[in-house]
Amino acid sequence: MLPLQRVEERIRILNTALVPLLRGARRYLSIWSQLQRISKKPLETYTTSDYTVTIFLAEMPGSNPLLIAYYISTQASRPLSPSQLAARIRRVLKEVNKLRNKLFTAADILYIVYAPRGFTKGARKLARTKGINLATTQREILAPVARYITKRFNKLLNKIKGKRIWGNLPLLLYALQEIGISIGANIKKVLDTLDLIRLVEKGGKIT
């Protein structure tokens, strides 16, 4: 595959992840900006010139920003070996660290490495020890994000259900809900826009 073809392939794969992420983020950010002042630029995407590393950063109400760092490999000859995966992990960590203390100080970070031919057994073991999520198909590329959002959404919902809430708590729940629904996570819609405005401004309960 020629260099330009590799770039085009990376962009095509990235779009399967970024388009639904951006769609969900823009939905809650639009409401958040109308209800409260957002002190930082709420949404950033950073991509290296060759599109191997792409970073999605979204501010979350009353919480650390959500950062998703993707490494897209187009190696088609064989599965990634441990040494190859280690080099890709170093690259993505380097790019994230370039943004640290510029765009964020602390964040909830997910690292995802995509490789169409997969990973050797040793590479998968290395990924587990480093906390790196692996994907081999376009369908899998959002799966780690969906699992994370679903777990966090359900945990927050169970914590606040039946209790009086206002301000950032309903906004955070709504943010997780909108991202989750947009990326196809197993999340039930519990807040519409009118409910959210009422809870943020006057307080109330989710039953």
Side-chain angles (χ1 to χ4, degrees):
M1 191 181 292
L2 297 173
L4 181 58
Q5 292 175 314
R6 289 182 181 275
V7 169
E8 291 173 346
E9 177 68 4
R10 292 182 192 119
I11 293 172
R12 184 182 67 80
I13 294 163
L14 278 168
N15 280 339
T16 65
L18 287 181
V19 169
L21 278 171
L22 289 168
R23 184 169 56 240
R26 285 169 180 153
R27 280 204 297 262
Y28 80 80
L29 287 168
S30 174
I31 300 297
W32 186 13
S33 64
Q34 293 175 47
L35 294 173
Q36 294 182 345
R37 179 176 175 270
I38 304 175
S39 59
K40 297 180 180 180
K41 187 175 179 181
L43 189 62
E44 297 271 4
T45 54
Y46 165 85
T47 304
T48 56
S49 59
D50 58 1
Y51 289 89
T52 54
V53 177
T54 297
I55 297 168
F56 167 92
L57 180 69
E59 292 294 326
M60 302 292 282
S63 184
N64 287 335
L66 172 63
L67 189 154
I68 304 168
Y70 281 105
Y71 187 102
I72 305 297
S73 172
T74 53
Q75 177 174 301
S77 57
R78 63 184 190 279
L80 291 187
S81 67
S83 61
Q84 289 174 320
L85 179 60
R88 284 152 176 79
I89 293 171
R90 287 194 297 271
R91 174 85 188 277
V92 75
L93 289 174
K94 179 181 177 182
E95 298 301 331
V96 169
N97 285 332
K98 284 181 182 178
L99 304 181
R100 197 180 298 275
N101 297 322
K102 293 181 181 178
L103 297 184
F104 72 98
T105 50
D108 296 323
I109 305 177
L110 292 173
Y111 296 99
I112 302 169
V113 176
Y114 168 90
R117 289 298 305 274
F119 307 83
T120 66
K121 186 177 180 180
R124 289 187 175 276
K125 183 178 179 180
L126 174 64
R128 286 193 296 271
T129 62
K130 297 291 186 180
I132 306 296
N133 298 283
L134 304 180
T136 59
T137 67
Q138 291 180 43
R139 187 172 183 175
E140 290 178 345
I141 203 166
L142 273 172
V145 188
R147 288 194 297 269
Y148 168 82
I149 293 292
T150 301
K151 182 178 179 180
R152 189 171 176 190
F153 174 84
N154 288 332
K155 184 178 180 180
L156 179 59
L157 179 60
N158 291 333
K159 182 179 179 180
I160 65 178
K161 204 167 185 179
K163 298 178 181 177
R164 182 173 174 78
I165 59 170
W166 61 88
N168 280 329
L169 273 177
L171 275 168
L172 179 57
L173 187 70
Y174 184 78
L176 294 168
Q177 171 188 282
E178 293 307 297
I179 291 178
I181 290 173
S182 184
I183 66 175
N186 186 23
I187 284 177
K188 181 181 177 182
K189 189 178 184 73
V190 295
L191 283 177
D192 61 24
T193 304
L194 291 177
D195 290 331
L196 176 66
I197 294 171
R198 174 180 57 83
L199 289 173
V200 171
E201 294 184 340
K202 298 180 180 180
K205 296 180 180 181
I206 298 174
T207 56

